[in-house]
Amino acid sequence: MNSFSKFAVHCALIATSLLLAGCQKKPEVRYSETLARNALMALPFPDWAPTGSAQVQAVSLYPTTDVPSEAAAAVVHVEVSPVYVVRLDDTHAALVTQVLPVDENNRPYDGHAHSGMIGAYFFEHSAAGWRMTDRQDFVTTSGVGGNIGTTGITKLGEGHFAVTAQWGSCWQGYCGRWLVVVGLQGNEATLLNSGIALSVDNDGARGACSALSGGDPRAAKEADAEKHECLDIQSKWKFQGNRLLVSYEGRLSKLGENGELLPTRKIQEQAIYEATPGKLTLISGRNPVPDFFSNGPP
């Protein structure tokens, strides 16, 4: 074949490729007949199944608005499980998922330092069924030990819901609990609070609280000798409409500027937060849990 013929064949192949590319069909829009969790999972993850390795999927763990495009395109393999289907209104719904990073054997990491994550997917109903309109593979982290914590759904107002995840753990004798709050509205999940401090208990570190209560004499002796703080606060929380009420009870025995142990202070307070679209604002009271725990574990 001479050079001209080779050139002609080459041009013909390019033209054919361009023609085929132009004629390729757009990806088919997929629908679900119902709002069953497993049925909805098949829309963002066509090969997903509720058991085994089919739970493991490739997702992006970056909010696309906050990172460069090349980072947003990065994906990791995770185990994805449906947690809730929330009917936002007559024609809109959201699917909330638990997302757990996995190792090379597709097993979720369950070590003490490994958090889970919360994802959200949004759907709209038409005559053809439920169609996915938006996806957020990653909204926020929550929990410890490969679990997002104890979860719940609360209606805040018309078309506005809150996903809550309460979790806790201990580190070197310091224990705490936190509450993560995610808002669902329209086609978006918004992190309202990454971790409201609910409790603190440091008795496992030095026994200072037991010493104050006349507990183990050895703990009392150590506490008196080294003058350690006692941090002992617990709480209960609930939603009333779009307001989150957190009631705290306990005691604090803090150290003064010169290292002296200050008088024990009784804690009995309430913090009230108001949830509005995209925000959770403290409108009354305060959170008495010390700042050391307010932003998560040490």
Side-chain angles (χ1 to χ4, degrees):
M1 184 181 295
N2 58 37
S3 299
F4 178 82
S5 298
K6 290 181 180 179
F7 177 77
V9 170
H10 181 65
C11 290
L13 289 174
I14 293 176
T16 302
S17 298
L18 292 174
L19 179 62
L20 290 175
C23 295
Q24 284 179 350
K25 294 181 179 179
K26 294 181 179 179
E28 180 183 357
V29 177
R30 306 178 74 249
Y31 294 88
S32 171
E33 294 183 2
T34 72
L35 285 176
R37 294 188 301 173
N38 290 351
L40 292 180
M41 284 291 288
L43 300 187
F45 305 109
D47 60 347
W48 182 90
T51 58
S53 61
Q55 287 182 291
V56 176
Q57 301 290 322
V59 302
S60 170
L61 297 186
Y62 296 93
T64 56
T65 57
D66 296 334
V67 296
S69 57
E70 61 271 17
V75 297
V76 297
H77 286 87
V78 295
E79 181 184 278
V80 188
S81 304
V83 182
Y84 297 108
V85 174
V86 184
R87 189 74 176 260
L88 300 174
D89 57 36
D90 290 342
T91 58
H92 295 86
L95 171 68
V96 179
T97 60
Q98 173 178 270
V99 183
L100 304 178
V102 297
D103 61 20
E104 62 275 10
N105 296 312
N106 288 337
R107 292 178 299 199
Y109 289 104
D110 58 1
H112 191 263
H114 292 99
S115 299
M117 291 163 281
I118 296 172
Y121 303 85
F122 296 87
F123 306 87
E124 186 175 46
H125 189 262
S126 67
W130 291 92
R131 176 179 64 89
M132 187 175 71
T133 55
D134 276 287
R135 66 186 296 162
Q136 291 173 252
D137 293 325
F138 166 66
V139 179
T140 187
T141 58
S142 179
V144 71
N147 191 290
I148 61 174
T150 302
T151 60
I153 294 288
T154 299
K155 184 175 182 178
L156 303 175
E158 289 303 317
H160 191 198
F161 290 78
V163 181
T164 54
Q166 177 184 305
W167 66 278
S169 193
C170 298
W171 294 263
Q172 299 180 344
Y174 283 77
C175 299
R177 292 185 298 123
W178 292 268
L179 182 67
V180 175
V181 185
V182 172
L184 299 176
Q185 189 175 43
N187 287 326
E188 185 179 16
T190 305
L191 178 61
L192 301 184
N193 197 291
S194 60
I196 296 173
L198 296 176
S199 71
V200 59
D201 178 358
N202 75 332
D203 203 44
R206 297 289 183 177
C209 298
S210 294
L212 291 176
S213 303
D216 186 342
R218 290 172 298 177
K221 180 179 179 181
E222 183 180 1
D224 287 341
E226 298 186 25
K227 298 198 182 304
H228 292 286
E229 296 178 327
C230 166
L231 311 178
D232 180 19
I233 301 176
Q234 301 297 320
S235 70
K236 295 180 179 180
W237 62 271
K238 63 180 180 180
F239 274 100
Q240 287 186 350
N242 71 329
R243 291 190 172 184
L244 173 64
L245 283 60
V246 188
S247 299
Y248 295 93
E249 289 188 357
R251 56 185 174 167
L252 288 177
S253 181
K254 304 290 291 289
L255 295 178
E257 292 182 358
N258 299 317
E260 74 278 14
L261 198 61
L262 300 177
T264 302
R265 181 162 61 92
K266 182 179 180 181
I267 301 296
Q268 192 163 12
E269 302 182 33
Q270 185 179 70
I272 301 177
Y273 299 83
E274 183 176 61
T276 55
K279 289 185 178 181
L280 185 65
T281 306
L282 180 66
I283 62 171
S284 177
R286 70 184 190 97
N287 187 330
V289 177
D291 288 342
F292 184 71
F293 276 83
S294 294
N295 294 319

